[in-house]
Amino acid sequence: ESMRSGSYPTVYLRNKQGGEDAVAAQVDVGMDGIWFLAESVPALGALTYSMRNDGGNTTVHPSIVAFAATLTSQRLTVSFDPTTNLLASITHHESETEVRVSQQYMEYVDGPGGCYVMVEVADARPVVTDVTAITVSGPVMSEVRQSFDAGLTQILRLPVTASVLTVIHDIGTLRANTEIISRITTDLRTGGSFHTDDSGLEMHKRQFNASMPISGNYHALVSS
């Protein structure tokens, strides 16, 4: 109730002296949560955080604009096309490298197969035309929330210390006999190789194989 009324809990970190230090935090708009950055925890170590309503002012409400605005962290700048609200480029600050990026949701019509077996019967076709977006910006993280006309939603999230852009998909209910893909095109020269994250545990190098069917060059998007 306090978060809805505008009085937000303060987040505290217990320090080595047994006291508490208030840390920067922001409200997770529309999701009734609090975002804060946890400090690095040493191996076999632990940190204790707590929240309470004590009138502190270190938890703030982020700003919101009704378009896909540029996201910036200490290491990355993520830009969007102002006419489409879609991803346009990612710049790495330290190397001063800009990568042009485009994304499109596509759909394959699936033949006989079953769970986790894609037997495509035709080329992928676009499933999205219009995209609306809002940008939520605060002292802890910023994100662009996109809504697609096919019932898809996507969040592109960038905490202030992040060196990677987190992309969260929600595709809802698939139409019968279809597979949804997120097609990301860049100007990187990779020689057909890329890496996927195996359920958040480790990275695996993948190599495009032209001799395989289309499905042989796709990998489940659990976390990548």
Side-chain angles (χ1 to χ4, degrees), residues 155-177:
I155 298 175
L156 299 103
R157 179 173 294 155
L158 192 67
V160 295
T161 59
S163 58
V164 296
L165 175 67
T166 298
V167 182
I168 302 169
H169 310 261
D170 187 350
I171 63 172
T173 302
L174 293 175
R175 297 192 305 115
N177 300 319

Side-chain angles (χ1 to χ4, degrees), residues 157-198:
R157 179 173 294 155
L158 192 67
V160 295
T161 59
S163 58
V164 296
L165 175 67
T166 298
V167 182
I168 302 169
H169 310 261
D170 187 350
I171 63 172
T173 302
L174 293 175
R175 297 192 305 115
N177 300 319
T178 59
E179 297 281 355
I180 295 292
I181 65 164
S182 173
R183 178 172 291 173
I184 297 175
T185 305
T186 76
D187 58 1
L188 291 171
R189 297 180 179 178
T190 66
S193 65
F194 61 102
H195 291 77
T196 63
D197 186 2
D198 186 12

Side-chain angles (χ1 to χ4, degrees), residues 43-170:
L44 302 179
L47 295 175
T48 301
Y49 289 87
S50 61
M51 287 192 298
R52 60 177 179 268
N53 289 314
D54 58 4
N57 59 2
T58 56
T59 299
V60 301
H61 193 286
S63 63
I64 302 174
V65 295
F67 57 90
T70 298
L71 306 179
T72 302
S73 74
Q74 295 172 4
R75 296 176 174 86
L76 298 178
T77 295
V78 180
S79 301
F80 296 82
D81 187 320
T83 60
T84 65
N85 285 316
L86 293 172
L87 190 62
S89 69
I90 300 175
T91 301
H92 184 256
H93 297 168
E94 185 176 356
S95 64
E96 298 183 345
T97 301
E98 181 185 36
V99 177
R100 304 299 300 176
V101 183
S102 63
Q103 181 195 19
Q104 189 174 25
Y105 278 105
M106 310 284 287
E107 178 184 70
Y108 281 103
V109 176
D110 204 4
C115 295
Y116 300 102
V117 179
M118 187 173 89
V119 183
E120 69 283 349
V121 298
D123 291 338
R125 59 192 183 193
V127 295
V128 171
T129 54
D130 296 323
V131 182
T132 59
I134 65 168
T135 303
V136 179
S137 302
V140 174
M141 69 91 185
S142 299
E143 62 185 20
V144 169
R145 301 179 183 178
Q146 298 168 321
S147 297
F148 299 86
D149 61 357
L152 308 171
T153 61
Q154 178 173 270
I155 298 175
L156 299 103
R157 179 173 294 155
L158 192 67
V160 295
T161 59
S163 58
V164 296
L165 175 67
T166 298
V167 182
I168 302 169
H169 310 261
D170 187 350

Side-chain angles (χ1 to χ4, degrees), residues 24-42:
Q26 73 184 64
V27 177
D28 191 2
V29 177
M31 299 181 183
D32 279 349
I34 296 287
W35 283 100
F36 64 93
L37 293 177
E39 293 188 6
S40 297
V41 181

